[in-house]
Amino acid sequence: MNLSEEEKIIIQNLLSVESETAKSALSAISSDFSDNVGTALIMLWQINPEESIRDAAKKLLVSTLDAESEKKITKEFEIFRSVNRDLPWTNTQAVDIQESNFETFRKVSSSYEKLLATNPLYSEILLDTGRKLLLIFNLEEKAKFCFELIAKYDSSNDEALFALGRMEERRGELEKALDFYEKAIAANPNNSFAQMQAGTIKNSVLGRYGEALLHFSKASEQDPYSVEPYVKMAETAYKLNDIPQTKQYLEIALSINEYHEEALNLLGMLLWKNDQKYEEAVETFKKGIDHKIHEDSALLLKSLGDIYAQHFQEFNKARIFYEKSLKANPQQKSLLEYYAPFILKHFQDLGAVEKSYIEYLKLQPNEVEILTAYATFMIEYLNDFDSAYTYLERVVEQEPNHEAALKQLRKISDYVENDQNDESEDDDDDEDDDDDDDVEIIVLDDEWFDDEEEEDDDFSGGGAATDN
């Protein structure tokens, strides 16, 4: 889009964040406006938040539009309305509607993309549309198109860069995600969300603890009353084995929110593992679950289970807390992997173990490690080779070289094959029985029955099932 200086000024005013500036620019436009100005007017008509501005823009466009053109343009911009109107919990076709509307807009987006991406009010509308496509409708590629469109024309838009980072993080591409977060921080060091995510990756994945602390510290400067940066700083200091600094950060975090579960959990761990203050540790863990907001804290319940199992050796109490934790959050893979052998060793409760696997797989049906563990449990404790074989096949379909699953499959393959052969033989027998049904029935005379009855007196009241 090549603009004259005059067009640049007119369009800048039309697309201004300030409503009064946009209204003033609309009132100054004559009926012989250029095509470039017409493009800006279409954007105002279709997606400006204020109805009076939309109406004024449409009024100026009336002379250039027939009924068919008006309908076509409205359809092209429908995506910006439907993401707010047609939602999954009110319309079962919502995702399909968004996909269709988005593709309609994509076909004409080149005419509007630069104006959308470079004017703050409209880039925010595009950004919001992308977020909703991602978070509400799970339409990742369409959301990415919105974010990339903004970044293409405005490499300093830290919110678009942050959104692209979050998308990469969702895909497990952490290095790419970190690159976007650092670009967002370079564009705006005060973006606390980018600071937090960059710090989390450096702390949890890359082991760059010093850099992580700087990110969290910067985030805390932007929002000094937010508990999360202080908890993250405490976790990072703990990894650096700086116990005094860890406690200091936790003290600040708990002064902001005394029931914060991650802060209470880390403090409890310090009291248990570092200070050997076991009863204080228990009270710290319990503080979070006794409060009505955190009574179902899976994290704190698990830690209570751990301390009762590992330190106090009170396995009944440990079991209660582990099961409460799994009930609060059945998708705790690491806890389930510990819980199953714990229950088998101390309680031999096969039903409880099987139930825990089933509840997990209802929510995560393709988790290969749990599928393998459940199949192994079926083999070793239930002798249910057929079901185990089915689960192991699902693992190998996803990961053909999964060593543990292949080992279990080799172990039970002979049993499953024999069962299948037995079933095949049973089917053949059934077919033979069916053939017997087709044999011609011969009617014998009464004399034959009379002779046979004398011989069968010893068996009266009995008889084979085939006699009936």
Side-chain angles (χ1 to χ4, degrees):
M1 180 182 287
N2 296 316
L3 302 174
S4 67
E5 288 302 316
E6 182 182 4
E7 286 177 323
K8 287 179 183 179
I9 294 171
I10 294 171
I11 291 172
Q12 182 180 353
N13 289 334
L14 284 172
L15 302 180
S16 172
V17 174
E18 300 295 331
S19 297
E20 294 306 315
T21 302
K23 290 175 182 178
S24 178
L26 281 166
S27 64
I29 292 177
S30 61
S31 58
D32 59 342
F33 52 80
S34 66
D35 290 343
N36 289 331
V37 171
T39 300
L41 288 172
I42 289 173
M43 286 174 51
L44 263 73
W45 164 38
Q46 288 295 319
I47 59 176
N48 188 280
E50 288 194 31
E51 185 177 3
S52 61
I53 291 177
R54 295 197 301 271
D55 290 342
K58 182 180 178 182
K59 188 175 180 181
L60 285 166
L61 287 163
V62 164
S63 62
T64 66
L65 299 174
D66 56 27
E68 191 62 32
S69 298
E70 181 177 334
K71 183 178 178 181
K72 178 177 178 292
I73 292 170
T74 299
K75 180 63 177 173
E76 289 167 351
F77 280 85
E78 187 62 23
I79 185 62
F80 296 98
R81 292 178 285 273
S82 63
V83 291
N84 298 303
R85 182 190 63 233
D86 299 305
L87 303 172
W89 48 89
T90 60
N91 187 338
T92 57
Q93 303 299 314
V95 175
D96 293 337
I97 289 170
Q98 309 313 329
E99 286 191 283
S100 175
N101 289 342
F102 184 85
E103 289 305 320
T104 301
F105 171 72
R106 192 203 292 263
K107 291 174 184 177
V108 299
S109 61
S110 59
S111 300
Y112 306 98
E113 60 182 37
K114 187 173 182 179
L115 294 181
L116 276 170
T118 56
N119 289 277
L121 174 61
Y122 296 88
S123 65
E124 184 60 36
I125 291 171
L126 184 59
L127 189 67
D128 182 64
T129 300
R131 289 177 183 139
K132 286 171 179 171
L133 288 169
L134 177 63
L135 300 175
I136 299 176
F137 303 99
N138 201 31
L139 295 172
E140 290 194 7
E141 290 307 315
K142 291 164 176 54
K144 187 178 181 182
F145 177 88
C146 297
F147 304 143
E148 287 182 336
L149 200 60
I150 297 169
K152 173 183 174 182
Y153 290 99
D154 184 5
S155 59
S156 65
N157 190 306
D158 59 297
E159 292 190 66
L161 293 167
F162 174 77
L164 288 166
R166 290 294 285 164
M167 291 197 71
E168 294 298 342
E169 192 170 350
R170 280 166 60 111
R171 293 172 176 156
E173 298 287 347
L174 298 183
E175 291 283 359
K176 291 180 180 178
L178 181 59
D179 182 56
F180 278 117
Y181 294 144
E182 291 186 325
K183 286 178 179 177
I185 291 166
N188 178 14
N190 295 330
N191 188 320
S192 60
F193 297 108
Q195 294 281 9
M196 287 294 291
Q197 293 307 120
T200 299
I201 291 174
K202 290 179 179 181
N203 174 38
S204 303
V205 180
L206 303 179
R208 291 155 58 178
Y209 303 125
E211 292 178 44
L213 275 174
L214 292 175
H215 285 298
F216 298 140
S217 178
K218 186 66 178 178
S220 71
E221 291 173 11
Q222 298 308 306
D223 190 356
Y225 296 104
S226 172
V227 69
E228 299 301 333
Y230 296 106
V231 174
K232 290 295 184 183
M233 284 191 277
E235 292 173 354
T236 308
Y238 183 65
K239 290 179 179 178
L240 290 168
N241 203 31
D242 188 344
I243 304 303
Q245 191 69 69
T246 302
K247 290 182 177 179
Q248 183 178 350
Y249 289 135
L250 286 174
E251 184 179 349
I252 298 171
L254 291 169
S255 71
I256 297 170
N257 178 0
E258 62 180 311
Y259 300 106
H260 191 280
E261 57 184 334
E262 284 88 357
L264 287 170
N265 191 65
L266 182 51
L267 179 58
M269 287 295 176
L270 281 174
L271 291 166
W272 171 16
K273 304 284 188 178
N274 190 72
D275 300 341
Q276 288 80 52
K277 295 180 179 179
Y278 307 113
E279 295 297 339
E280 285 187 43
V282 169
E283 291 307 309
T284 301
F285 294 139
K286 284 185 175 180
K287 181 176 182 178
I289 62 171
D290 287 341
H291 190 267
K292 62 182 180 180
I293 296 175
H294 296 296
E295 61 186 358
D296 60 349
S297 169
L299 176 65
L300 294 168
L301 288 165
K302 176 188 178 297
S303 293
L304 282 164
D306 287 340
I307 195 169
Y308 277 110
Q310 297 169 30
H311 174 71
F312 295 112
Q313 301 282 292
E314 294 185 34
F315 302 122
N316 285 316
K317 285 187 178 180
R319 176 178 182 173
I320 290 169
F321 286 118
Y322 283 144
E323 290 178 351
K324 284 184 176 181
S325 180
L326 285 169
K327 183 178 180 181
N329 178 11
Q331 299 183 71
Q332 297 179 82
K333 179 183 172 185
S334 61
L335 174 54
L336 181 54
E337 289 173 333
Y338 177 84
Y339 169 83
F342 169 82
I343 293 295
L344 292 170
K345 178 180 178 181
H346 296 290
F347 300 96
Q348 297 81 49
D349 189 340
L350 304 185
V353 173
E354 183 168 34
K355 180 182 177 183
S356 66
Y357 282 129
I358 290 170
E359 291 302 315
Y360 183 96
L361 291 170
K362 282 180 183 177
L363 301 169
Q364 297 288 343
N366 297 316
E367 171 54 59
V368 294
E369 300 304 330
I370 299 301
L371 285 169
T372 304
Y374 186 26
T376 303
F377 167 76
M378 288 179 167
I379 294 166
E380 295 181 357
Y381 292 93
L382 305 181
N383 290 326
D384 187 352
F385 302 131
D386 290 331
S387 296
Y389 191 86
T390 300
Y391 282 110
L392 292 169
E393 280 191 320
R394 283 169 57 185
V395 174
V396 174
E397 282 176 9
Q398 296 179 70
E399 296 187 17
N401 298 318
H402 194 284
E403 186 176 342
L406 291 171
K407 180 180 178 181
Q408 295 298 330
L409 278 171
R410 287 193 294 270
K411 183 187 293 186
I412 64 172
S413 58
D414 289 341
Y415 296 102
V416 175
E417 286 174 8
N418 289 336
D419 285 346
Q420 290 173 345
N421 290 336
D422 290 343
E423 288 176 9
S424 177
E425 289 174 8
D426 289 342
D427 290 341
D428 291 341
D429 291 341
D430 289 342
E431 288 177 11
D432 291 340
D433 291 342
D434 291 341
D435 290 342
D436 291 343
D437 292 341
D438 296 332
V439 173
E440 182 181 357
I441 298 173
I442 302 174
V443 179
L444 301 176
D445 57 29
D446 292 339
E447 236 176 67
W448 188 88
F449 285 109
D450 292 338
D451 293 339
E452 291 298 313
E453 282 173 3
E454 292 176 5
E455 294 177 13
D456 288 345
D457 281 347
D458 292 339
F459 298 97
S460 61
T466 52
D467 290 338
N468 295 324

